[in-house]
């Protein structure tokens, strides 16, 4: 892997993420929020309904590496249904590293769901080891699962600003990685709740009807600052900061 910007030269995912101090950037009333997406040249974030075929192993390494740097990982229910998550940090050595860094072994998994239509048999719930917090508007009860699940209910729609404030003030979440999907992402952007976007630009065309990285976003012309640009085998790894 090479770094194109800033300071061109050889690098690696590990080296790039080593200096990433996200926790110290916490806002008073909400976590520092980063998002991560892999997209094709024509802006698709799914191929055959899922994201897996878009990025390379280096993209996966970046995503998994980012998970080790935060207190919580947030996903929308649509992404959970499509991707069927397992334990957030699956590699024991990475969990041990988190503990050495003073973090809990697993980041808190945060799910946003309207209907509580959740794949309860996904490994995230059946494997144990982590913790899950679900924001929903449904009155339905969550079943007993091996992984402990806490449900926080909102009325009408999950108020994402209030949810992030709750995570910061009640759960001590300093930095949060949102892994999408596109509809959750659009709301966070629109509400001005995203601090950084990590976007993997895969060197391929997707075609089809897959979503972009922010679905339902009103027209806005929001400039971004390119904080780094990395390259490996034609795949570009961009880190953008929002400008307030
Ligand atoms: N390429 C990538 O990097 C990438 C990343 C992530 C996802 N994806 C892909 O994106 C697709 C899923 O897209 P999506 O936009 O449907 O996913 P999503 O944003 O994860 O999920 C949308 C769902 O989240 C819930 N939700 C979101 N905001 C809410 C709010 N304010 N209040 C209440 N509920 C809320 C609703 O759940 P309910 O339906 O339960 O009401 C809604 O249907 C999948 O195919 C996945 O593979 C790709």
């Amino acid at each position: 892997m090479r770094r194109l910007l800033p300071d061109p030269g050889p690098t690696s995912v590990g080296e790039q993420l080593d200096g990433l101090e996200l926790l110290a950037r916490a806002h008073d009333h909400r976590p520092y929020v980063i998002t991560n997406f892999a997209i094709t040249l024509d802006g698709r974030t799914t191929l055959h309904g899922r994201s897996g075929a878009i990025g390379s192993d280096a993209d996966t390494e970046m995503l998994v590496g980012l998970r080790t740097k935060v207190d919580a990982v947030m996903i929308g229910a649509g992404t959970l249904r499509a991707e069927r998550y397992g334990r957030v940090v699956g590699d024991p050595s990475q969990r041990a590293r988190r503990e050495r860094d003073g973090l809990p072994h697993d980041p808190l998994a945060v799910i946003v769901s309207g209907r509580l239509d959740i794949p309860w048999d996904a490994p995230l719930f059946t494997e144990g080891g982590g913790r899950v917090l679900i924001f929903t508007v449904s009155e339905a009860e969550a079943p007993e699962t091996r992984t402990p699940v806490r449900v926080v209910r909102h009325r009408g729609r999950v108020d994402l600003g209030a949810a992030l404030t709750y995570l910061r003030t009640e759960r001590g979440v300093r930095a949060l990685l949102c892994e999408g999907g596109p509809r959750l992402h659009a709301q966070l952007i629109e509400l001005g709740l995203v601090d950084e976007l990590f976007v993997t630009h895969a060197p391929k065309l997707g075609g089809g009807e897959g979503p972009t990285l922010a679905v339902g976003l009103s027209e806005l012309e929001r400039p971004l600052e390119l904080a780094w640009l990395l390259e490996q085998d034609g795949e570009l790894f961009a880190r953008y900061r929002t400008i307030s």
Side-chain angles (χ1 to χ4, degrees):
M1 177 173 277
R2 59 189 175 133
R3 187 172 49 242
L4 305 177
L5 285 170
D7 307 324
T11 189
S12 64
V13 171
E15 185 182 325
Q16 289 297 129
L17 297 185
D18 260 355
L20 206 62
E21 296 296 337
L22 300 174
L23 303 173
R25 295 172 188 255
H27 301 277
D28 286 346
H29 295 292
R30 69 165 173 87
Y32 193 73
V33 175
I34 65 169
T35 67
N36 184 84
F37 276 87
I39 64 172
T40 63
L41 177 62
D42 51 336
R44 303 292 178 215
T45 56
T46 61
L47 289 173
H48 322 294
R50 298 187 62 190
S51 61
I54 294 182
S56 65
D57 289 349
D59 171 59
T60 305
E61 191 185 347
M62 180 69 78
L63 174 64
V64 171
L66 287 172
R67 289 177 178 176
T68 68
K69 298 286 177 186
V70 294
D71 291 316
V73 171
M74 175 185 270
I75 50 169
T79 296
L80 181 60
R81 289 190 288 265
E83 306 286 348
R84 292 183 58 82
Y85 270 57
R87 190 166 177 172
V88 180
V89 176
D91 178 352
S93 68
Q94 288 187 320
R95 291 200 294 270
R97 173 149 187 208
R98 279 179 60 87
E99 288 187 300
R100 281 199 300 280
D101 290 345
L103 294 166
H105 44 73
D106 288 85
L108 178 67
V110 179
I111 297 162
V112 178
S113 170
R115 298 170 285 145
L116 211 61
D117 174 12
I118 300 288
W120 298 110
D121 58 344
L124 175 65
F125 301 104
T126 59
E127 276 179 4
R131 299 158 298 143
V132 178
L133 176 68
I134 304 180
F135 291 100
T136 187
V137 296
S138 168
E139 292 299 327
E141 290 298 325
E144 281 288 316
T145 50
R146 185 153 172 230
T147 308
V149 173
R150 169 117 189 248
V151 178
V152 175
R153 292 190 168 79
H154 288 198
R155 281 179 184 276
R157 195 162 177 70
V158 173
D159 178 335
L160 295 171
L164 288 177
T165 298
Y166 171 86
L167 289 170
R168 178 78 193 98
T169 58
E170 304 294 324
R171 303 298 296 258
V173 175
R174 294 160 293 177
L176 175 143
L177 165 65
C178 176
E179 299 184 4
R183 285 186 285 161
L184 176 62
H185 194 213
Q187 296 167 68
L188 291 172
I189 291 174
E190 198 133 347
L191 292 165
L193 297 173
V194 176
D195 296 296
E196 297 192 14
L197 297 87
F198 289 77
V199 182
T200 299
H201 299 270
K204 58 182 76 159
L205 289 159
E209 303 291 328
T212 67
L213 57 66
V215 166
L217 194 60
S218 334
E219 188 171 284
L220 43 79
E221 194 182 334
R222 197 167 295 167
L224 300 170
E225 177 192 21
L226 183 62
W228 78 37
L229 185 64
L230 321 173
E231 186 273 343
Q232 181 172 299
D233 297 329
E235 193 168 42
L236 295 171
F237 300 85
R239 175 187 178 194
Y240 300 98
R241 283 198 198 97
T242 53
I243 302 169
S244 43

